[in-house]
Amino acid sequence: QVQLVESGGGLVQPGGSLRLSCAASGNIFSIIDMGWYRQAPGKQRELVAVITSGGSTNYANSVKGRFTISRDNAKSTVYLQMNNLKPEDTAVYYCNARRTQLNYWGQGTQVTVSS
């Protein structure tokens, strides 16, 4: 089993920056990849960024060039550096960890970009 805890959300002005953190615990060596998703009220949850066990990354088109996902294996933590934030980035951001045929989710952290 894997447990995920997010932190770093908050209120920021357009053009500002935030850094989200996700600390993983449990059977962390079974994780294939980790990523960040977000969900705004009334909208479907969408993939923001993912990083695989091999270090490959992928981003949603809406955040390319602004967001960077990274991983600190020694601390079992994944980060999302968010720069040049826009109001449309406002959402609850969820950390995700994937094993074969199995996914784990954090509790979510609110990011609000005003306005």
Side-chain angles (χ1 to χ4, degrees), residues 3-7 21-25 36 77-78 95 105-109:
Q3 297 82 42
L4 304 172
V5 179
E6 301 107 329
S7 62
S21 299
C22 174
S25 61
W36 290 92
T77 302
V78 65
C95 182
W105 297 91
Q107 81 286 352
T109 185

Side-chain angles (χ1 to χ4, degrees), residues 2-114:
V2 175
Q3 297 82 42
L4 304 172
V5 179
E6 301 107 329
S7 62
L11 175 65
V12 66
Q13 294 181 340
S17 297
L18 285 173
R19 181 172 178 258
L20 305 183
S21 299
C22 174
S25 61
N27 192 13
I28 59 176
F29 296 104
S30 297
I31 296 173
I32 297 172
D33 54 47
M34 297 185 69
W36 290 92
Y37 289 71
R38 67 186 182 186
Q39 187 169 20
K43 295 185 178 181
Q44 187 176 359
R45 185 176 299 186
E46 64 176 351
L47 176 68
V48 177
V50 63
I51 184 165
T52 71
S53 59
S56 178
T57 59
N58 193 32
Y59 298 90
N61 288 333
S62 59
V63 307
K64 286 181 179 177
R66 299 189 297 120
F67 292 10
T68 302
I69 188 169
S70 61
R71 183 176 60 207
D72 185 341
N73 289 328
K75 296 183 178 180
S76 302
T77 302
V78 65
Y79 304 94
L80 185 68
Q81 179 66 47
M82 305 185 293
N83 297 326
N84 192 23
L85 283 161
K86 303 176 180 180
E88 52 264 42
D89 295 318
T90 296
V92 177
Y93 284 70
Y94 297 91
C95 182
N96 168 261
R98 186 173 69 86
R99 300 169 62 190
T100 302
Q101 304 296 322
L102 194 60
N103 282 273
Y104 301 92
W105 297 91
Q107 81 286 352
T109 185
Q110 177 70 49
V111 172
T112 302
V113 185
S114 65

